[in-house]
Amino acid sequence: MATVRPFKAIRPAKKYADKVVSLPYDVMNRKEAAEMAESNPYSFLHICRSEIDLPGEEDPYDIAVYEKAKENIEKNLNEGIFVTEERPALYVYREVMDGRVQTGIVGCVAVDEYQNNTIKKHEFTRVEKEQDRINHFDICDADTEPVFLTYRDDKRIRTIVEGVVSGSDPVYDLTASDGVRHTLWIVEDENVIENITSLFKEIPALYIADGHHRSASACKVGLKRREENPGYTGDEEFNFFMAAIFPDNDLKIFDYNRVIKDLNGLSSDEFLERIKDAGFHIEDKGHSIYHPEAKHVFSMYLEGKWYKLTADSSIIPDHVIDSLDVAIIQNNIFGPILGIKDPRTDKRIDFVGGIRGLEELEKRAESDMKIGFAVYPVDVSDLLKVSDNDMVMPPKSTWFEPKLASGLFMHRLK
């Protein structure tokens, strides 16, 4: 069963919402965050990327950064920019991007269910990134950004959600600077809340779509609070963390592409021959950008030309992980030919979200990198299959769009 629990959200006063809302903390660097928040004192980036308010502080992990985020939350509450819900509620949250709609539930999920794998994972996390969000949530005493979860679509939940949307006015309906429309409805009716929470108890598992570090960090903050409060009952807010939960049928995964620094000492001709020998058919596509058309087909940009690479069936294993396209190019090209054994740590590889377009691969290959590879997007069903088998995808396998907005809701831990 999956626990979904209402909570008293901290959220923007309606007249400030369009100024507060921002992109998530982890999709930009410090310079980009500072530029986005420039001349906007209300931007949530002053909380999720509060180092922009400490120009003399170069270390984004310094304790002063987290203390500044806490200070900014309290300031916004005191000035009426943020309000706190009077009683626990759930929320229906809709995003519209390029005409595509995804509609989900915002509530709190259980630390214990993250621990027992009712909330399933598909990625490893990095210690330093976990510690960053642990410090942020703990010092702010709040989950400041939701985790992005999914579940196998349930018509009964969808019917309730559609009833909320059609039967009430939203508290927010705004379009962010990136063109994504965000609409939020408050679910306060206790009968509707009970129906939603009861139906989720019949859902066998939730799946992390995006936010593995936030999930792990929120869980560890909850466990830390338990140690600090040995008489805890399990009902305290720190036993739960905030999530936006969408049905799998609403979601779309974009490609997550790769750029490589060099050819590992090979000439271009030698490299192309090695790729052929590794089991790929190569087709020269000229100077026009080529997008992969199907699974096991890749595009490659090298020295001003695009190439279509088609994997031979002999190198496509019957394995949940190794049959993924990101694994096929890692296991047959990046590792044995280019010498990149661990893409999580090797500095010669970098990753480019598909939302940036393949023009970005060209740009990188012509500037700080040598070669670009584009993959066909992973399917949501692949993510669920990997998670159900308690396996881990290769790093940077999935890029979800639209991203969740930051600043529309926070969850206080006490």
Side-chain angles (χ1 to χ4, degrees):
M1 59 175 266
T3 298
V4 177
R5 164 176 158 135
F7 68 108
K8 295 180 181 180
I10 298 172
R11 56 182 181 80
K14 189 168 185 177
K15 66 179 180 178
Y16 295 111
D18 61 336
K19 301 177 182 67
V20 169
V21 69
S22 78
L23 293 172
Y25 82 102
D26 56 353
V27 300
M28 83 283 288
N29 58 36
R30 175 180 178 155
K31 180 182 178 183
E32 290 169 333
E35 291 172 350
M36 290 177 187
E38 188 177 9
S39 304
N40 181 7
Y42 306 109
S43 172
F44 199 74
L45 293 172
H46 294 287
I47 292 168
C48 65
R49 294 301 298 261
S50 52
E51 66 268 28
I52 65 177
D53 291 341
L54 298 170
E57 179 54 65
E58 295 301 324
D59 181 4
Y61 304 141
D62 191 280
I63 293 300
V65 173
Y66 311 112
E67 294 285 0
K68 186 63 178 177
K70 178 182 180 181
E71 176 188 321
N72 288 342
I73 292 173
E74 298 306 323
K75 178 177 180 289
N76 284 346
L77 280 166
N78 291 336
E79 294 180 358
I81 297 161
F82 291 166
V83 297
T84 302
E85 215 73 76
E86 292 184 0
R87 57 180 180 168
L90 294 175
Y91 303 84
V92 169
Y93 177 33
R94 169 168 287 175
E95 296 182 283
V96 182
M97 176 183 178
D98 298 331
R100 187 171 58 81
V101 180
Q102 59 186 42
T103 309
I105 298 287
V106 178
C108 282
V109 295
V111 164
D112 286 332
E113 291 175 9
Y114 179 90
Q115 292 284 91
N116 68 24
N117 213 35
T118 298
I119 299 173
K120 295 179 177 290
K121 306 88 177 166
H122 68 268
E123 285 183 5
F124 286 124
T125 57
R126 290 165 52 188
V127 172
E128 69 275 14
K129 290 189 70 175
E130 271 193 36
Q131 191 60 52
D132 168 49
R133 290 300 96 178
I134 288 171
N135 290 340
H136 183 79
F137 297 154
D138 197 27
I139 291 173
C140 289
D141 195 34
D143 301 321
T144 55
E145 294 176 287
V147 177
F148 186 170
L149 302 182
T150 188
Y151 63 99
R152 287 186 170 87
D153 202 347
D154 185 294
K155 290 183 179 178
R156 298 169 299 172
I157 296 175
R158 187 177 285 276
T159 297
I160 293 174
V161 166
E162 290 172 351
V164 171
V165 169
S166 62
S168 59
D169 294 328
V171 63
Y172 310 129
D173 189 359
L174 57 92
T175 299
S177 58
D178 60 356
V180 177
R181 183 179 178 185
H182 303 274
T183 312
L184 193 74
W185 291 261
I186 303 175
V187 183
E188 295 179 293
D189 185 300
E190 292 185 4
N191 291 326
V192 177
I193 291 174
E194 173 62 27
N195 286 339
I196 292 171
T197 56
S198 295
L199 287 172
F200 269 105
K201 288 177 182 177
E202 299 180 27
I203 300 294
L206 301 174
Y207 301 81
I208 300 175
D210 196 9
H212 282 79
H213 289 94
R214 273 167 280 168
S215 302
S217 300
C219 178
K220 289 181 178 178
V221 170
L223 298 178
K224 177 177 180 287
R225 295 289 178 97
R226 289 179 177 182
E227 290 181 2
E228 295 168 351
N229 298 273
Y232 76 93
T233 66
D235 196 50
E236 299 86 354
E237 290 301 322
F238 59 71
N239 295 290
F240 305 89
F241 59 97
M242 184 173 60
I245 313 163
F246 295 88
D248 61 337
N249 290 338
D250 279 12
L251 302 186
K252 179 178 180 179
I253 301 177
F254 284 66
D255 44 317
Y256 214 149
N257 301 315
R258 277 85 168 120
V259 285
I260 312 293
K261 189 76 173 177
D262 57 62
L263 296 182
N264 199 27
L266 299 171
S267 69
S268 297
D269 288 341
E270 290 171 333
F271 178 59
L272 291 171
E273 283 301 316
R274 291 285 300 273
I275 291 176
K276 288 179 185 177
D277 293 342
F280 293 86
H281 172 73
I282 300 178
E283 182 180 343
D284 188 334
K285 304 298 285 189
H287 301 292
S288 298
I289 288 177
Y290 168 71
H291 292 263
E293 304 156 21
K295 284 185 176 182
H296 312 322
V297 176
F298 309 84
S299 65
M300 180 179 72
Y301 182 75
L302 174 63
E303 295 183 346
K305 281 188 176 183
W306 285 91
Y307 297 87
K308 175 182 178 180
L309 310 182
T310 305
D312 187 88
S313 59
S314 64
I315 63 169
I316 303 172
D318 184 19
H319 185 272
V320 173
I321 297 293
D322 290 342
S323 62
L324 296 174
D325 283 353
V326 288
I328 289 171
I329 55 171
Q330 173 61 42
N331 294 337
N332 294 279
I333 296 178
F334 297 168
I337 300 176
L338 294 175
I340 297 171
K341 303 301 182 184
D342 186 353
R344 296 177 71 223
T345 59
D346 198 306
K347 302 299 184 186
R348 295 170 53 229
I349 186 171
D350 199 6
F351 305 91
V352 179
I355 192 67
R356 292 179 176 266
L358 298 195
E359 293 85 358
E360 182 68 13
L361 287 190
E362 282 192 356
K363 179 182 174 183
R364 293 291 303 276
E366 297 288 355
S367 56
D368 61 320
M369 294 301 212
K370 175 70 175 178
I371 187 170
F373 287 88
V375 298
Y376 193 76
V378 172
D379 193 80
V380 175
S381 63
D382 292 326
L383 183 152
L384 301 184
K385 187 187 302 183
V386 168
S387 301
D388 282 336
N389 282 277
D390 296 325
M391 294 179 175
V392 176
M393 285 186 171
K396 309 295 185 184
S397 294
T398 59
W399 181 284
F400 283 89
E401 288 286 348
K403 301 291 186 186
L404 304 181
S406 290
L408 291 181
F409 23 73
M410 288 187 283
H411 167 235
R412 188 68 94 178
L413 298 181
K414 63 182 178 186

